[in-house]
Amino acid sequence: MEKKLLPVIEARELSLNYDDYMVMRGLNFRVNKGDIFIVMGGSGCGKSTLLKALIGLKEPDAGKVLYGGKDFWADLVLQNQIMRGIGVLYQSGALWSSFTLGENVALPLQLYSNLSGSQIREIVELKLALVGLSGYADFYPAQISGGMRKRAGLARAIALDPEIIFFDEPSAGLDPVSARLLDELILQIRDVLGATIVVVTHELPSIFAVGNNSIFLDAEAKTMIAEGNPKDLLTHSSDPRVVRFLTRGER
Amino acid sequence: MNTQKISFDYSAPKTLLIKLSGDWRISAGFPEAGQVVGQFDLHKEVTRLEFEASRLEKWDSGFMSFLFHLSRECEHRSIFFNRRGLPDGVRKLLDIALKVADAETVLPRPSESLLERIGGKAIEVTGGIRFLLDFLGEIAVGFWRMLRGKSYFRRDEFFYILQACSVGALPLVSLISILVGVILAFIGAIQLQLFGAQIFIADIVGIAMVRVMGAVMAGILMAGRTGASFAAELGIMQVNEEIDALKTLGISPVEFLVIPRLLALVVMMPLLTLYADFMGILGGFVVSAGVLGLNPTEYWNHTQSAVKISNLWVGLIHGFVFGIIIAVAGCLRGIGCGRSAAAVGEATTSAVVEAVTWIVIATAIITFICQVLGV
């Protein structure tokens, strides 16, 4: 196994724009090893844009993203190396539609390991079983439900046992029971794989169920206005915008 | 009937009192807000609008839209819109409608001068050219990596695409090519009959089909069929974040998605061109032998002697170039697609229009080069 980089993320004075439109500025935060770190905020506050900057899809306009102390955007070779140590579960699952679930999970293994075909098949079965999709390896994404697609996406995200896993709105579009099961899965994966997890969401039940650290982004301030454990923020935050969000506008 | 539902009272100074009565539901019909606006124009002194709704019977969103429009107009003309005389439910709904409208309204962009619009367009075109050059560069790098065995190439996927853009296209290519051959034969016959030289129809059909028409017809059909399909397929992958998922795995979407499609079309277009040539000649043959009464053997011999191997090469080069054009246009628009259903539609349309345009331009360029080289 090749040596992986320290799975700690740090943002320093990060600014993100779309052309002339400023989305976020002056973001400073740190994700510690083993955290389930929540990026929360209302719709349109820039959560997904921030995620893109963290996973190599959008270059920041200013500031730095550091992985294990190394500048993620400074060097493409280093960036590729870091990206092999991260997994991403997209909002829609983002499974490749012309691949079966098994092929979706197998692709990262085929690309970045020297395992034999039978070893890869075994790992694929294991990963699918971990997310409750044992026996679905030969199904195509179009043949399964939205919740199952998300879980299959998660199986692909953890194919290479990444040290950091990003979740983009994992509960979006799921019924409450499926959403809770996915939350439990996130906790299990953190415990079993020892992964650091970053969850972008505005679903309060998920935020309180899984998060142990968080930042709160505000669309008007165009930056983060709170940081800390979501439960602590609920009880101790003096910022009315944060309290309003965390209490669904009831306080 | 509608006019009975509304009347205007100017008894109070600078105030227009609207008296409402009857049924104001959509199904019953109601006056247009323009009537009231007309009153504003006639009575410029009005600074206050009030309502009297004691005889208002029924109302629904039709009435609400009337008031919503009036409210906006009053705001625009600095006229005080007094809701007090309206029913409670109407007042509440109006509050919600105006509040939501304020929150969601996008700030209008300042109007741009002609110069700014030209500048904006120039920047847009420059960005488009840069995107195209980046894309072509990535294709070149992708091919180089593939030749060195360093890129991920899925053979099953490649053969699937190959099949989709070959066997699947044959019925359409057959039909159109035969008809083009038939049309060429008929057009040739009209002129050549005047000189008693109908047998030269074989030369016209053979040379035209093999040199240009077979490739052009196959190219246009494939642009509409396969080019559009590439753009839509990759566009939907963009919408579904499948391309993002490739990028975060460190896989180049160009290597993974574009190269197999480009390769499949570059391989298949010359073959489809040959097939279209043959079908076109067959169409001309059927008309000449069956309708115009020419000797089939003589027709065949004339075709053989007229169509030189150089014509065949020119046709194949057309096919090869068209293959590149269709695949690049389709994949470029697909990869550059936005994140909505409308964007996929736009990408598909652009892919077809650009491919067909460039096919015609490329035909003109190749024809000119052949003319200069004497081929």
Side-chain angles (χ1 to χ4, degrees):
Chain A
M1 286 279 286
E2 63 183 41
K3 193 185 168 190
K4 288 178 182 172
L5 293 160
L6 273 176
V8 175
I9 311 165
E10 204 178 335
R12 284 189 196 161
E13 291 301 324
L14 201 61
S15 289
L16 301 161
N17 302 343
Y18 278 116
D19 296 327
D20 295 335
Y21 180 76
M22 182 200 289
V23 182
M24 281 286 132
R25 63 191 150 89
L27 294 180
N28 288 292
F29 61 86
R30 183 185 169 91
V31 182
N32 296 316
K33 188 177 169 73
D35 267 356
I36 297 187
F37 187 89
I38 309 286
V39 178
M40 59 182 169
S43 300
C45 71
K47 301 187 293 289
S48 296
T49 309
L50 171 60
L51 176 71
K52 284 181 180 175
L54 297 179
I55 60 176
L57 295 176
K58 176 167 174 49
E59 193 170 355
D61 295 275
K64 284 180 180 174
V65 175
L66 305 175
Y67 275 80
K70 294 184 176 168
D71 191 346
F72 181 58
W73 285 96
D75 178 3
L76 271 179
V77 178
L78 177 72
Q79 190 185 67
N80 275 331
Q81 200 183 338
I82 291 169
M83 277 162 69
R84 287 181 202 180
I86 68 176
V88 184
L89 172 61
Y90 290 88
Q91 192 171 345
S92 59
L95 295 169
W96 300 302
S97 45
S98 60
F99 287 26
T100 62
L101 302 193
E103 288 169 336
N104 264 282
V105 182
L107 183 62
L109 295 160
Q110 289 165 349
L111 285 171
Y112 300 124
S113 78
N114 295 318
L115 299 174
S116 67
S118 62
Q119 285 173 313
I120 287 177
R121 270 192 298 281
E122 281 164 18
I123 293 177
V124 167
E125 267 306 317
L126 170 74
K127 300 291 175 178
L128 286 173
L130 278 177
V131 297
L133 288 174
S134 191
Y136 280 89
D138 295 328
F139 281 62
Y140 282 91
Q143 295 172 307
I144 58 173
S145 71
M148 289 162 93
R149 274 200 284 274
K150 285 210 176 178
R151 280 187 278 147
L154 181 55
R156 184 182 66 189
I158 60 172
L160 290 167
D161 288 352
E163 295 183 16
I164 305 169
I165 307 171
F166 291 89
F167 291 76
D168 186 12
E169 306 276 5
S171 321
L174 296 185
D175 63 81
V177 176
S178 303
R180 189 183 59 79
L181 288 175
L182 198 60
D183 289 343
E184 281 176 12
L185 209 51
I186 291 173
L187 290 168
Q188 281 169 9
I189 282 168
R190 192 267 309 264
D191 295 341
V192 173
L193 299 179
T196 302
I197 289 173
V198 178
V199 184
V200 171
T201 186
H202 53 216
E203 300 281 342
L204 291 177
S206 294
I207 290 170
F208 293 124
V210 301
N212 72 319
N213 199 359
S214 69
I215 54 168
F216 184 91
L217 305 181
D218 184 70
E220 279 183 26
K222 293 188 181 297
T223 189
M224 51 190 273
I225 56 170
E227 186 177 14
N229 186 305
K231 286 170 192 154
D232 292 343
L233 288 178
L234 177 66
T235 50
H236 295 115
S237 176
S238 56
D239 192 316
R241 294 166 293 184
V242 179
V243 175
R244 192 176 152 76
F245 177 86
L246 291 174
T247 58
R248 300 179 69 220
E250 288 166 9
R251 264 163 52 188
Chain B
M1 195 177 92
N2 284 339
T3 50
Q4 292 165 0
K5 296 180 180 179
I6 186 168
S7 61
F8 306 111
D9 182 338
Y10 288 96
S11 51
K14 295 184 178 180
T15 301
L16 168 57
L17 173 67
I18 298 180
K19 293 181 173 174
L20 303 160
S21 59
D23 187 347
W24 276 70
R25 289 178 301 176
I26 292 171
S27 56
F30 51 86
E32 286 183 22
Q35 276 191 35
V36 183
V37 175
Q39 294 293 317
F40 292 153
D41 291 334
L42 288 173
H43 300 270
K44 303 263 187 215
E45 75 283 2
V46 169
T47 55
R48 190 178 177 89
L49 179 67
E50 298 200 339
F51 297 91
E52 201 276 298
S54 58
R55 285 189 293 159
L56 179 68
E57 292 165 10
K58 291 174 178 172
W59 57 271
D60 62 9
S61 55
F63 183 50
M64 289 307 303
S65 71
F66 172 85
L67 294 174
F68 186 71
H69 186 102
L70 273 189
S71 162
R72 285 281 175 85
E73 191 63 33
C74 285
E75 194 183 335
H76 180 63
R77 291 171 184 253
S78 303
I79 295 173
F80 177 64
F81 184 90
N82 190 351
R83 303 174 198 181
R84 196 175 296 166
L86 294 169
D88 271 357
V90 172
R91 286 210 303 265
K92 283 177 188 164
L93 271 177
L94 209 53
D95 281 345
I96 294 169
L98 292 171
K99 199 173 178 181
V100 169
D102 288 346
E104 295 293 324
T105 300
V106 176
L107 289 174
R109 288 171 71 96
S111 61
E112 291 177 334
S113 69
L114 179 66
L115 204 62
E116 280 173 321
R117 270 184 282 166
I118 292 171
K121 200 75 193 165
I123 291 170
E124 200 179 299
V125 170
T126 314
I129 292 171
R130 194 178 301 149
F131 181 57
L132 173 67
L133 292 177
D134 280 349
F135 188 70
L136 293 176
E138 279 187 65
I139 289 176
V141 171
F143 259 112
W144 178 240
R145 281 173 52 83
M146 191 189 75
L147 291 175
R148 293 168 66 204
K150 286 196 166 183
S151 70
Y152 182 83
F153 191 81
R154 209 163 164 253
R155 213 167 288 162
D156 293 353
E157 179 97 346
F158 171 70
F159 284 117
Y160 175 77
I161 298 166
L162 204 62
Q163 185 191 354
C165 62
S166 57
V167 181
L170 287 183
L172 201 57
V173 173
S174 307
L175 175 72
I176 301 299
S177 303
I178 287 175
L179 289 178
V180 169
V182 167
I183 292 164
L184 284 174
F186 273 124
I187 291 173
I190 293 166
Q191 293 303 314
L192 293 171
Q193 263 174 345
L194 299 174
F195 309 103
Q198 281 156 291
I199 192 60
F200 285 101
I201 292 169
D203 300 50
I204 290 175
V205 173
I207 292 172
M209 284 309 298
V210 172
R211 207 176 159 90
V212 179
M213 291 308 289
V216 169
M217 294 325 292
I220 289 173
L221 287 174
M222 293 305 280
R225 191 181 179 279
T226 307
S229 143
F230 286 176
E233 203 176 338
L234 300 192
I236 287 170
M237 288 184 80
Q238 186 72 270
V239 173
N240 289 341
E241 300 176 307
E242 291 174 48
I243 291 179
D244 285 349
L246 286 173
K247 287 180 188 167
T248 43
L249 255 184
I251 302 171
S252 157
V254 169
E255 283 180 24
F256 194 75
L257 300 169
V258 177
I259 301 281
R261 283 166 175 77
L262 179 61
L263 209 56
L265 261 187
V266 163
V267 169
M268 284 321 301
M269 267 308 292
L271 297 177
L272 277 174
T273 299
L274 274 181
Y275 180 74
D277 295 347
F278 176 75
M279 296 312 279
I281 290 171
L282 186 68
F285 175 80
V286 169
V287 168
S288 304
V291 181
L292 303 172
L294 295 180
N295 182 309
T297 314
E298 202 179 350
Y299 185 94
W300 180 242
N301 289 338
H302 252 270
T303 303
Q304 274 189 314
S305 62
V307 179
K308 302 279 188 300
I309 197 75
S310 60
N311 297 137
L312 199 66
W313 279 115
V314 171
L316 290 177
I317 288 169
H318 275 97
F320 175 78
V321 173
F322 295 167
I324 295 174
I325 288 172
I326 296 163
V328 168
C331 294
L332 178 78
R333 292 300 153 212
I335 293 271
C337 178
R339 307 250 173 183
S340 66
V344 176
E346 281 167 24
T348 311
T349 309
S350 302
V352 176
V353 171
E354 284 170 16
V356 171
T357 308
W358 280 104
I359 282 173
V360 175
I361 293 171
T363 306
I365 293 170
I366 296 171
T367 306
F368 177 74
I369 292 171
C370 290
Q371 186 70 26
V372 171
L373 296 176
V375 181

